[in-house]
Amino acid sequence: MLFFTIFVFSNSFSHNMPKRLYLFILFVFFFLIGNSYAQKLSLSHSFKHSRVSFDLDRLYNYNNYERHRWGAGLDWIIPLKYDDRYGTLFQNLFITNAYFGYGTGDHAWKYGAYAGFVFPRLVISGISVSYMHDLLLAGAHSFEAYDLLNTCNNSTYFSSRYSEADKITAMSQIELPGPGKLRLSYSHYRERLLFNASNLLFPHIYDNDALPYQTYNTVGVDLLWGEHWKLGFLTNVTNPDYGDILNNKLFSLSFIRLLAQYSNKISFKDNHGHLALFAQSGYVTKSAPITQLFDLGGTGGGKYYFYNTFLTVRPNTFMSNVFSLASIRYTMGCGLWKTSLSEPRPFAQFNAMWGMFLGNDKASQTYSGMLLHAPVDGLFEPCLGIDGILRWGLLDMGIATAYQMTPKNSYYHIDNFFDKFAVIFIAKLVID
């Protein structure tokens, strides 16, 4: 879906690009799709079971700060000692990768590297260390990574509030009895905001936009239980002062962040459709910086459909330090008809969210000079659509409508019908 993510989001892009280059990029992209496995494109045949791959997800990204981000990434997987008694998935491995990227909007280079060992037959199944000089989304609360080939999951295309960070992380993964995994991490950050109360900041273009860096350390614990449950704990570990040492405290906590997520897809028998469920809840203490709050803005004002976001809520509308949201979507199993060019499948969706700030004023708080608002009275969003109306090559296209519902006495209630009503297009990559 390169044309969807690149050319749809910038009206001026095709005017600035020669037609031959435009067609060449499309050809290369679809060639990569046809010759890739998952998100990796093998660049070498197996040599003593080692493999070098190109990471497709690093090829291109988009957001409202970097604009078009181009880059590349390489993975190198090396078995420590190949054991014929076990299959490929159960070998002890050394894994390393590196990447770089460049944003056309901020004129800044990003890069990072990772190295780690995987021991799939041991209780401690992995250890790693990584470094990145990159952007971090302020208020992020997603456990999922960016996926180039599944743009309906990439609502961050509408994001604009980022920080620039140098981050070093050491991590280990522990296999628990049953389907559980425990990930432990320790990170050191050197970070600065790339936005303020009124503007986005571009320090790599304008020197006066550069804010001072802040440094801090975090300890993280993530519990992954099967395919459906994810729990995250993060705390800031500050350097001890003399008072802490005299009180025999090894460290002090300045904030605690908790995040829980449930996601599932239930398919009904006899091709009676499927139900997609998604829910999140989060809490972070009042002392947390703005980057660790929860951004509850959606993709309102856009023309395209995304999963697990609010289609009528504009970006940067809400933030909070306590929130809950849920989404339920039912899609018909059989199309209204089926041809080589069309298989329309109606779906119905309902989204809901609520959030607040701890303290006397639960509706709003000021962080870093910015007045932030929370959806304290709740917000509801029904959505109806038809997916797969037209298939063009690898692309399924459809249309949907969404409507925002809020209590009439809420401070963020919208009276104008058309301001809370959205007509959105659906575009999904389908590789049979």
Side-chain angles (χ1 to χ4, degrees):
M1 295 179 61
L2 189 64
F3 76 92
F4 175 65
T5 58
I6 299 177
F7 305 108
V8 161
F9 284 99
S10 175
N11 293 328
S12 63
F13 189 81
S14 58
H15 298 296
N16 297 331
M17 174 177 285
K19 184 176 180 180
R20 290 184 179 180
L21 180 57
Y22 174 96
L23 296 174
F24 174 75
I25 291 174
L26 287 178
F27 170 79
V28 170
F29 179 74
F30 285 109
F31 174 80
L32 293 178
I33 291 176
N35 292 274
S36 64
Y37 175 76
Q39 302 297 99
K40 309 296 182 182
L41 173 69
S42 178
L43 298 180
S44 65
H45 297 290
S46 294
F47 177 71
K48 293 183 179 180
H49 305 288
S50 297
R51 184 174 294 275
V52 177
S53 302
F54 181 84
D55 188 349
L56 288 177
D57 286 334
R58 300 292 183 182
L59 177 65
Y60 178 80
N61 199 347
Y62 180 94
N63 58 66
N64 279 327
Y65 180 81
E66 294 176 283
R67 297 296 173 174
H68 307 284
R69 171 169 167 158
W70 298 92
L74 290 177
D75 294 347
W76 188 12
I77 301 176
I78 308 169
L80 299 180
K81 183 178 181 182
Y82 197 87
D83 193 330
D84 293 326
R85 294 176 299 173
Y86 304 101
T88 303
L89 297 179
F90 295 93
Q91 302 295 325
N92 296 330
L93 304 172
F94 173 71
I95 299 177
T96 184
N97 62 55
Y99 75 90
F100 71 90
Y102 180 80
T104 61
D106 61 344
H107 296 186
W109 289 95
K110 297 88 182 177
Y111 44 86
Y114 166 97
F117 296 92
V118 176
F119 308 107
R121 305 189 302 275
L122 301 180
V123 173
I124 300 178
S125 60
I127 56 173
S128 66
V129 63
S130 62
Y131 166 77
M132 53 161 268
H133 172 80
D134 211 328
L135 304 188
L136 298 176
L137 177 60
H141 51 93
S142 175
F143 286 96
E144 283 71 39
Y146 169 76
D147 185 345
L148 175 66
L149 302 184
N150 195 353
T151 55
C152 282
N153 285 331
N154 299 332
S155 59
T156 53
Y157 288 143
F158 286 78
S159 301
S160 60
R161 290 178 173 175
Y162 288 86
S163 63
E164 182 181 54
D166 292 287
K167 179 183 176 184
I168 302 173
T169 300
M171 180 181 294
S172 65
Q173 178 168 294
I174 300 172
E175 301 296 320
L176 302 177
K181 300 178 187 294
L182 194 66
R183 292 177 182 168
L184 310 176
S185 64
Y186 188 93
S187 298
H188 173 75
Y189 291 80
R190 179 175 173 266
E191 185 177 23
R192 65 179 176 183
L193 291 183
L194 296 174
F195 61 96
N196 59 23
S198 57
N199 298 297
L200 299 181
L201 304 177
F202 295 90
H204 296 275
I205 302 176
Y206 310 107
D207 293 339
N208 292 335
D209 281 355
L211 296 178
Y213 283 97
Q214 303 292 325
T215 60
Y216 62 99
N217 303 309
T218 63
V219 171
V221 181
D222 290 339
L223 173 62
L224 313 179
W225 194 261
E227 298 179 355
H228 308 306
W229 287 98
K230 295 180 174 67
L231 303 173
F233 167 86
L234 185 71
T235 183
N236 173 221
V237 182
T238 62
N239 293 325
D241 58 29
Y242 290 106
D244 289 327
I245 294 173
L246 293 175
N247 291 323
N248 296 317
K249 295 180 180 179
L250 296 179
F251 58 85
S252 59
L253 306 179
S254 59
F255 74 82
I256 292 175
R257 192 179 199 256
L258 302 171
L259 180 64
Q261 176 180 299
Y262 174 79
S263 61
N264 198 359
K265 184 176 180 179
I266 303 171
S267 297
F268 300 108
K269 295 181 179 180
D270 301 322
N271 205 22
H272 286 161
H274 63 265
L275 196 66
L277 305 173
F278 181 83
Q280 280 190 334
S281 288
Y283 161 81
V284 62
T285 50
K286 288 178 61 177
S287 56
I290 188 173
T291 54
Q292 297 297 336
L293 300 181
F294 301 107
D295 182 359
L296 302 179
T299 58
K303 300 180 177 65
Y304 307 100
Y305 176 85
F306 296 92
Y307 294 133
N308 304 328
T309 190
F310 288 79
L311 306 166
T312 61
V313 178
R314 291 184 176 272
N316 304 328
T317 299
F318 299 121
M319 280 188 108
S320 70
N321 58 12
V322 180
F323 86 100
S324 292
L325 62 82
S327 175
I328 181 170
R329 183 178 69 255
Y330 172 76
T331 305
M332 287 183 57
C334 298
L336 299 177
W337 61 79
K338 184 175 183 179
T339 69
S340 60
L341 296 178
S342 179
E343 187 179 357
R345 298 190 182 193
F347 70 89
Q349 177 177 290
F350 185 78
N351 296 333
M353 76 168 162
W354 166 87
M356 61 171 272
F357 288 102
L358 298 175
N360 295 329
D361 188 353
K362 295 179 173 58
S364 62
Q365 292 286 334
T366 300
Y367 281 78
S368 302
M370 286 170 269
L371 181 62
L372 306 177
H373 302 281
V376 290
D377 299 315
L379 185 146
F380 309 94
E381 186 185 77
C383 175
L384 294 174
I386 303 178
D387 193 9
I389 295 176
L390 176 64
R391 172 170 287 193
W392 180 44
L394 300 175
L395 197 67
D396 268 8
M397 292 178 282
I399 193 169
T401 61
Y403 182 74
Q404 183 180 132
M405 302 171 61
T406 55
K408 287 187 177 181
N409 60 349
S410 172
Y411 74 90
Y412 49 87
H413 177 74
I414 300 172
D415 291 322
N416 188 302
F417 173 83
F418 293 102
D419 288 340
K420 54 187 177 181
F421 180 77
V423 178
I424 44 186
F425 298 98
I426 304 169
K428 295 195 300 185
L429 188 67
V430 178
I431 304 177
D432 296 326

